[in-house]
Amino acid sequence: MTLRTIILAIVSLAALLHAVPVSAATCESLMALTLPNTTITMAQVVTTGSFTPPGATAAITNLPPFCRVAATLKPTSDSDIKMEVWLPASGWNGKYQAVGNGGLAGSVLYEPLSEGLKRGYATSSTDTGHVGDTAKAFLGHPEVQNDFAYRAIHEVALKSKTITNAFYGSDPRLSYFVGCSGGGRQALVEAQRYPNDFHGIVAGAPSLNQKPIVFAARMGISHAALKNPASFIPRTKYPMIHQAVVNACDAIDGVKDGLIDDPRRCSFDPKVLECKAGDSASCLTTEQVETAGKIWSPVREPRTGREIVPRMEFGAELGWGTLASQEPLDNLTERLKYVIFKDPNYDWKTFNFPADLSKLDGVDDPSDASNPDMSAFAGRGGKLIVYHGWADQQVLPRNTTYYYDNVLEKMGGPAKTSEWLRLFMVPAMGHCRGGEGPNQFDMLTALETWVEKGQAPAQVMA
């Protein structure tokens, strides 16, 4: 055998080993892995094809064999971040995916973990440092709030990549983050604060505006609906209102398909629904007409008239009960009690809109993700896909379009920004999913194609 042949054989073997990483450790041996501020609490192989999440009765099925690793992270003395990373026992695609949380987080999300696992990813999830979809743990514990706000996702990404390396013998070649709602906020925070964590990010319906004045102003819909019993619009009237709006605006896009393509082009006066001869299921009382008008109007800062919260969009009427029910959304009242006013007994009904709203102007929150400067993320070649349903009943869609416009202005205009950012507004889709419009699609594949093949998504089929 010649020296040239030997060299070629060595090069070929090295290439093979790089393409198919050899496991550097057994799953169980990861229990002995030492990481800064980290305790590995579990490392076990799951080969049964199914997994029942803690506290659940239904199992997740059709799972490939995997190594389940659980850990507790303590980046500060007051931190207690729980996380899990699932590692395919075979067929690893060489990539890592983190999944986001909804609402106030508070739990590891096992269904998204299973979805990433089935695609061949090493995948992680976290409770972000507290238990339960509540803000109680933030009261008197600013570091716990900071873990939720921005630190936990970053810490989990770092530790997950290290655990992945220990198991497979190599780092993930690419890293992705996918989240919606609160997870969409986490996605933007990652791009803004930690631009090197992920090569590609999907941010769905991001609850990006977390400033106290914005959170409090979102209760304007509750106040409008509940200021007196006569103003309240019962859910039984939602379909009637919705159908009237659709009839008025459906054909604006040139296609009559029962969907409002872009509600910003829609105009509708609830006065046309006012009862002519007493209240009935097919009309609105004078007080209810006023309530509908307020729901379809932005909330403004009392002194300056500046828009704080955009209006609920035309076409979202079937979901009015989320923000206009007899009690505000738990997410809102939790933040009012434990973050904004720091009083567990705070009663949202005592909020004085003109006075209290103005007091909150200028007060910041570490959870806020409205910074349009993503120079570092764009500069390292990161790709970001943002999507939002026009009929979102919980996180108002214009929050996202306004933010997108701010990013365009900050980052050099549409042509330059389109090299790394794409926005998709989904007709008639609700919050993250559901609704009357197309609402099932695969944004991760679109992102992979962009990051790995350089093909930016011009459209996404749903």
Side-chain angles (χ1 to χ4, degrees):
M1 183 178 292
T2 66
L3 178 61
R4 172 182 169 81
T5 303
I6 294 172
I7 292 174
L8 288 175
I10 292 173
V11 170
S12 298
L13 178 60
L16 179 62
L17 291 175
H18 177 75
V20 185
V22 176
S23 177
T26 64
C27 181
E28 291 79 2
S29 69
L30 294 177
M31 283 292 297
L33 186 63
T34 301
L35 300 175
N37 305 314
T38 302
T39 302
I40 305 294
T41 57
M42 177 191 299
Q44 62 181 26
V45 178
V46 179
T47 60
T48 59
S50 66
F51 174 80
T52 302
T57 55
I60 302 171
T61 58
N62 299 317
L63 296 176
F66 67 98
C67 173
R68 179 191 176 199
V69 180
T72 299
L73 314 184
K74 293 185 176 295
T76 77
S77 60
D78 204 21
S79 296
D80 188 30
I81 302 168
K82 299 295 192 296
M83 63 161 285
E84 290 199 22
V85 57
W86 289 9
L87 307 159
S90 63
W92 179 46
N93 64 13
K95 298 182 285 187
Y96 161 65
Q97 178 197 343
V99 298
N101 305 83
L104 289 163
S107 62
V108 171
L109 300 183
Y110 291 98
E111 190 63 44
L113 278 175
S114 71
E115 293 168 3
L117 181 72
K118 291 174 183 178
R119 296 177 72 132
Y121 279 93
T123 182
S124 71
S125 178
T126 174
D127 66 359
T128 73
H130 66 281
V131 177
D133 188 18
T134 172
K136 290 180 182 179
F138 304 162
L139 186 62
H141 297 276
E143 294 301 343
V144 176
Q145 184 178 352
N146 288 338
D147 286 335
F148 162 79
Y150 59 86
R151 189 164 46 215
I153 296 296
H154 171 63
E155 289 290 331
V156 169
L158 296 180
K159 299 306 187 293
S160 295
K161 292 176 186 179
T162 303
I163 293 169
T164 299
N165 179 292
F167 185 60
Y168 295 114
S170 66
D171 290 327
R173 57 186 176 85
L174 292 168
S175 298
Y176 294 99
F177 183 92
V178 179
C180 193
S181 188
R185 180 196 65 81
Q186 293 168 338
L188 296 182
V189 167
E190 276 293 313
Q192 294 161 10
R193 287 179 177 260
Y194 306 106
N196 294 317
D197 281 356
F198 298 99
H199 297 88
I201 293 173
V202 174
S207 55
L208 59 98
N209 292 314
Q210 297 283 307
K211 297 181 186 300
I213 190 172
V214 175
F215 249 86
R218 286 177 69 195
M219 287 216 316
I221 293 176
S222 299
H223 271 261
L226 301 173
K227 69 176 184 178
N228 67 63
S231 300
F232 183 69
I233 302 175
R235 290 175 183 264
T236 53
K237 292 193 177 186
Y238 293 171
M240 176 269 296
I241 303 169
H242 177 65
Q243 192 58 56
V245 174
V246 172
N247 290 344
C249 301
D250 178 10
I252 291 176
D253 61 350
V255 179
K256 195 168 180 60
D257 56 3
L259 304 177
I260 299 175
D261 182 65
D262 185 348
R264 293 173 299 184
R265 301 169 61 191
C266 177
S267 179
F268 183 82
D269 186 351
K271 194 79 174 172
V272 302
L273 298 176
E274 190 167 6
C275 299
K276 302 297 189 290
D279 190 10
S280 76
S282 60
C283 65
L284 298 176
T285 66
T286 300
E287 294 85 356
Q288 290 170 346
V289 167
E290 181 182 352
T291 297
K294 289 183 177 180
I295 292 174
W296 281 320
S297 300
V299 179
R300 300 187 180 277
E301 203 283 323
R303 296 171 301 182
T304 65
R306 171 174 55 91
E307 181 177 313
I308 304 171
V309 174
R311 74 184 191 191
M312 187 87 82
E313 297 297 337
F314 292 120
E317 298 75 30
L318 296 177
W320 276 5
T322 301
L323 294 177
S325 63
Q326 293 177 323
E327 288 288 332
L329 196 65
D330 285 346
N331 199 326
L332 299 181
T333 55
E334 287 280 317
R335 290 290 296 263
L336 287 171
K337 288 180 179 180
Y338 301 109
V339 177
I340 296 174
F341 294 110
K342 304 184 187 307
D343 177 5
N345 299 312
Y346 181 80
D347 183 354
W348 67 271
K349 298 184 185 70
T350 66
F351 189 88
N352 183 312
F353 253 85
D356 289 351
L357 205 58
S358 294
K359 290 177 185 176
L360 297 174
D361 202 5
V363 180
D364 214 340
D365 186 285
S367 304
D368 190 67
S370 59
N371 181 4
D373 187 354
M374 292 197 229
S375 304
F377 181 74
R380 63 81 51 110
K383 308 297 183 187
L384 171 62
I385 294 177
V386 182
Y387 69 91
H388 207 138
W390 270 124
D392 195 328
Q393 73 282 18
Q394 185 169 325
V395 178
L396 303 180
R398 291 198 202 205
N399 284 318
T400 293
T401 61
Y402 291 163
Y403 176 69
Y404 178 71
D405 290 341
N406 291 339
V407 173
L408 295 188
E409 181 179 356
K410 179 70 177 179
M411 300 296 295
K416 188 174 181 179
T417 306
S418 66
E419 297 174 0
W420 60 273
L421 169 64
R422 294 296 168 95
L423 170 65
F424 295 93
M425 299 302 293
V426 189
M429 184 178 82
H431 185 56
C432 293
R433 62 185 68 83
E436 296 179 305
N439 60 78
Q440 297 184 41
F441 40 78
D442 185 357
M443 285 295 180
L444 179 55
T445 292
L447 183 65
E448 289 172 324
T449 302
W450 194 5
V451 170
E452 298 171 32
K453 300 180 180 179
Q455 300 172 10
Q459 62 181 13
V460 175
M461 301 301 293

